[in-house]
Each structure stands twice: as structure tokens, then as C-alpha cells.
Amino acid sequence: MELEYLSLLDLSNNDFKAIQYNSMGSKKCDNLSRGTPPHQCGNSSNLLYLDLSLNSDNLIPNLHWISHLSSLQYLNLGGVDLLHKEIDWLQSVSILPSLVELHLENCQLENIYPSLQYANFTSLQVLDLAYNHFISELPSWLFNLSSHISHIDLSQNSIHGQLSKILPNHGRIKSLVLSDNNLDGPIPDWIGHLEQLQKLDLSDNAFSGPIPTSLGNLSSLIVLNLYSNHLIGNLPESLGKLFNLDALRVHENFLTGKVCEQNLLFLSNLKRLCLSSPALVFDFDPEWVPSFQLKAIWLGYVTGKLPSWLFTQSSLKSLTITYSSASFEPLDKFWNFATQLEFLSLSYNTINGDMSNVLLNSKFVWLTSNKLGGGLPRLSSRVVVLNLRNNSLSGPISPLLCHKMREESQLMSLALANSQIVGITGNCCIMLIWGRIT
């Protein structure tokens, strides 16, 4: 087929071993099949959008043919192996004057050109280089991109070093994702001056020092992920002014001091909250009713009592509480509240009490390594996974598996290790199809 006037070509998510792109009638661009040498190619001035992503068995020898697609605005080669032959990917793509979006995630790239000062991207707005093999500091050219850039994703690499102390030319950036790298040092204050920023993800690094109070200036921020770092100090009250915030995740750090309603006061749009640091003290007014309705909560190292406002969250679907000595009493109130959840994880706590009269209604339930006692709980037909390892439960397994249900049980996985559970009693016949009991 001679598609001279083609402007959009999407061959993504197939199983192609080779892709050959023809342009300008009889003049052919480089054959993209494995090991095939390039051919002479004329310009293809009409192609604006090219997506060859998710063809994992397709090895593209090089990107030299890209330069002939002079009007290309969108290029996605995500999941295509460029490791073995492509040694100068940046020069090949930066020559395109109209390129707006570049997606090269999971392309086995190794060279990010850390010493290069400038890359000739004049129109680029979206740069996605996640899931590659970059082992270097952040390159200088990244901080010298044009002011048009709105999205940068370098997650899941091995980038190390510290962020620049100088404010880059990224005044319009809306999403900065640097998670799952080896970045360290302080979070620079200039991030708090990116006025249009909607997503900041610095999680799973080694950032240290306090959380900058300047982050409270990011009034457009929707997602703030700072978890799994080495951050210290108080949770800034300035974060409580981020009224557009949907997700606040700062767990697995070394924060200290108190967290109270002032930290969350104006977060009326908040849907996901994760707070967990060994020395962080939860000190909420028991009469406080927040303006938000959360969908997911992760709390860790809670002492005393659970925050009273937790029971006001009628839209909650996921609750995780770990490494806590807090009292869950009154237990009947807590277990009744938990029936609304789809995901319940209470691991490595000191929660106790007799479980024999408790009805579990969540699809996924992890209650491992607690002090739960008595007989086994009752299950609704919704429960798919139940993990009760490392508790003090005792008695027969029959009440758990043999009570009558209105609907067929969905239970697929059951873990009861290190409990005093005995076998089935009475006339109970169990059939677990595709199931697993340990």
C-alpha cells in the first residue's frame, strides 16, 4: 500500500517481529526489521503521529530514519528494544522540529548523555524515558529544555546525584516524575516555584533533609508522592493549603513531630492519604470532622487510639495500618466499619480480640502478625484472599469455610500458618477450584 497522505499510523500492542515503513511511493525509509540495512528514503511531510509501542519482540536497528519524518509531532516506541544497535537516539529525535511528545519508556536505553548541555528540542512538551538503564547523574540538557516542556518522566532508572540548586527553565511543567532512582540530597526549594505543577513524584529515592515549606505554594498540585525516602523534620503545615490535592503520600520516611488537623485542614479534594514514620505522633482533635472523603488510607506507627475522624470516611475502600500499637477498641465498631472496604491490611500491629463473631466482607484481607485470638471469623462470599498468618487463633476451620452463604464463595487463597487450627468437623465438604490453602 502506498499511503502517501497518511498522517496517523498506530501499530501499537501487537506482536510484530518486523515493521517496515514506506513513504513517498517507491522511496522507502529504513527497514525496521532485525538486522536489515537502511535504504534511501524521501521526506514524509504528512505523517504527524507514529506509535510502534508494545511490540516487545521487534528490534529497531537505529533511529536514523526518523529524521525523514519532518512533520512528526508524536513518537511512541515504548517497549521496543533499542539497546543493541541504537547508540545516538537523542540526536536522531531532537532533529525533528515539530516533535511535541516523545515516548521511549522501557527501550533498554543506556546513554542519557549526562555531559551534554543542550538538546535541540524546540517544541517538546512531553518526555517519557521511564524504565530504562540510565546510570548517571541527571543530564544538563534536561534542565535546559525549552519552556514548553510540561511532562518529564525518568522513573525506574538508576539515576543518582542531587537535583540542581538552580531553578530550571520549566515554568510550564505540570508533571515531574523522578521516582525509583538513587537521587539524594535535599529537595530544592525551586520546586515550590513551579506554579503549574500538578504531579510531583520523588518517591523511592534517598532524598534527605526536611520537606520544603515552599511546596505549599503549589496551588495546582494534585499528586504529591514523597514516600520511601530519608526525609526528616515536621510535616509542613503549608501542605494543608493545597486545596486541589488528591493524593498525599509521605509514608516510609523519618518524619518527627506531631501531625494534626492543621496539616490537612483545607484538603477538601483529598482522596488518598499515606502517613507513616516511626517518630511521627498523630494528635488529632477527637471531635474533628475533615472536609474530605478518602478512598484510600495508609497509616503506620499509630499509638494511643485510632484517629476518630477515620470513622467519618464513608467512601473509604482501602485501609492499611501497619506497625502500630494503637487500640482498635471498641472492636465491634471497627469491624463493622471495615465491612465497607474492598482492601483491608492490618499487619504487624497489636490488635487483639476474639474473631469468632467477626464478619469479614472485604475482597482482600491481610491480618498477619497481630494478636488476634478466639475462633476463626466468618466470611462473606466477596472475600477472595484471606491471610491470617502469625496470630493466636484456635479451633476448627469449619466455621470459616462451611457456613451457608447466599452466594457462591469467591475465596481463592487462605493462609493460616502458625495458628492453632484443627481440621474440618461435621458433614462439611469443601471444594476449592483454582484455590490455595496454606
Side-chain angles (χ1 to χ4, degrees):
M1 295 189 298
E2 296 182 3
L3 304 176
E4 181 178 354
Y5 300 103
L6 187 69
S7 62
L8 185 150
L9 178 60
D10 187 345
L11 300 176
S12 61
N13 200 22
N14 286 288
D15 193 23
F16 295 134
K17 303 297 188 295
I19 302 172
Q20 178 174 319
Y21 175 74
N22 298 339
S23 73
M24 298 299 289
S26 61
K27 296 180 179 180
K28 296 182 177 180
C29 285
D30 299 350
N31 190 319
L32 307 187
S33 61
R34 193 188 306 262
T36 303
H39 300 284
Q40 184 179 4
C41 175
N43 286 333
S44 177
S45 60
N46 293 307
L47 193 66
L48 305 177
Y49 183 107
L50 178 60
D51 191 342
L52 306 178
S53 64
L54 301 177
N55 288 285
S56 57
D57 292 329
N58 182 24
L59 279 174
I60 295 181
N62 59 65
L63 294 181
H64 299 161
W65 50 276
I66 287 290
S67 63
H68 301 289
L69 308 179
S70 58
S71 298
L72 200 63
Q73 298 178 9
Y74 178 98
L75 175 63
N76 192 341
L77 300 177
V80 177
D81 192 345
L82 300 176
L83 170 64
H84 302 289
K85 298 291 181 69
E86 181 53 52
I87 59 174
D88 198 5
W89 63 269
L90 184 56
Q91 181 179 358
S92 298
V93 296
S94 63
I95 201 173
L96 299 172
S98 302
L99 192 63
V100 174
E101 292 198 29
L102 175 61
H103 299 266
L104 295 178
E105 66 273 17
N106 194 24
C107 288
Q108 311 299 317
L109 297 172
E110 294 182 339
N111 188 3
I112 198 173
Y113 309 92
S115 60
L116 185 67
Q117 293 295 316
Y118 294 94
N120 190 30
F121 290 114
T122 57
S123 303
L124 195 66
Q125 296 180 20
V126 176
L127 177 63
D128 190 347
L129 298 174
Y131 294 91
N132 281 294
H133 303 295
F134 300 132
I135 305 177
S136 72
E137 295 184 348
L138 285 170
S140 298
W141 63 264
L142 185 70
F143 294 98
N144 292 323
L145 291 172
S146 75
S147 59
H148 298 293
I149 194 72
S150 64
H151 176 99
I152 296 176
D153 190 344
L154 283 168
S155 59
Q156 292 282 351
N157 282 284
S158 296
I159 297 171
H160 56 265
Q162 299 186 13
L163 294 181
S164 170
K165 296 180 181 180
I166 302 174
L167 177 65
N169 188 26
H170 294 165
R172 299 182 184 178
I173 194 166
K174 295 182 179 179
S175 177
L176 179 60
V177 181
L178 301 174
S179 57
D180 290 279
N181 281 287
N182 299 313
L183 295 165
D184 56 20
I187 298 174
D189 281 331
W190 57 256
I191 292 181
H193 298 284
L194 303 177
E195 296 179 354
Q196 298 186 34
L197 196 63
Q198 297 178 2
K199 180 178 182 179
L200 176 63
D201 192 344
L202 303 179
S203 60
D204 285 299
N205 279 285
F207 287 109
S208 57
I211 299 175
T213 58
S214 62
L215 297 187
N217 298 327
L218 301 174
S219 58
S220 298
L221 201 63
I222 297 174
V223 175
L224 178 58
N225 289 342
L226 301 177
Y227 61 87
S228 297
N229 279 288
H230 302 155
L231 298 172
I232 61 173
N234 296 332
L235 184 69
E237 287 190 11
S238 61
L239 300 184
K241 299 186 298 183
L242 300 176
F243 55 87
N244 283 313
L245 204 63
D246 175 277
L248 175 60
R249 301 183 179 98
V250 293
H251 55 292
E252 297 182 5
N253 279 289
F254 300 100
L255 300 176
T256 57
K258 294 182 179 181
V259 57
C260 62
E261 57 272 13
Q262 294 298 323
N263 297 100
L264 310 174
L265 195 57
F266 299 108
L267 305 184
S268 57
N269 291 304
L270 198 66
K271 295 293 184 292
R272 297 160 185 84
L273 175 64
C274 301
L275 292 171
S276 173
S277 287
L280 197 64
V281 177
F282 295 87
D283 187 27
F284 291 96
D285 185 338
E287 303 297 325
W288 180 60
V289 177
S291 58
F292 51 71
Q293 279 292 323
L294 300 176
K295 293 182 179 179
I297 302 176
W298 180 342
L299 301 178
Y301 303 98
V302 185
T303 59
K305 292 185 177 182
L306 293 180
S308 299
W309 61 261
L310 177 67
F311 297 100
T312 70
Q313 302 301 294
S314 58
S315 298
L316 195 66
K317 297 301 178 185
S318 175
L319 175 62
T320 299
I321 301 177
T322 59
Y323 299 103
S324 296
S325 60
S327 169
F328 285 72
E329 296 180 354
L331 287 173
D332 55 347
K333 179 180 179 180
F334 176 80
W335 291 119
N336 182 62
F337 171 76
T339 58
Q340 74 184 40
L341 305 172
E342 293 186 3
F343 178 93
L344 174 63
S345 178
L346 307 176
S347 299
Y348 302 98
N349 299 295
T350 58
I351 182 172
N352 54 22
D354 188 340
M355 293 293 290
S356 57
N357 292 320
V358 173
L359 173 66
L360 298 177
N361 190 48
S362 305
K363 289 184 178 180
F364 303 96
V365 183
W366 276 266
L367 301 177
T368 59
S369 301
N370 287 286
K371 296 182 179 181
L372 299 172
L376 290 172
R378 295 175 293 121
L379 304 184
S380 77
S381 59
R382 299 179 71 230
V383 180
V384 177
V385 174
L386 175 61
N387 192 332
L388 287 166
R389 294 173 185 265
N390 301 326
N391 281 285
S392 301
L393 299 165
S394 60
I397 196 174
S398 302
L400 182 113
L401 296 176
C402 301
H403 68 279
K404 294 182 179 180
M405 299 182 184
R406 294 181 179 179
E407 300 177 359
E408 183 178 354
S409 174
Q410 302 298 312
L411 189 64
M412 301 289 287
S413 178
L414 173 63
L416 298 172
N418 298 328
S419 295
Q420 304 297 318
I421 304 301
V422 297
I424 299 170
T425 60
N427 298 321
C428 176
C429 178
I430 301 174
M431 178 180 294
L432 290 177
I433 302 175
W434 305 109
R436 178 163 56 92
I437 296 182
T438 57

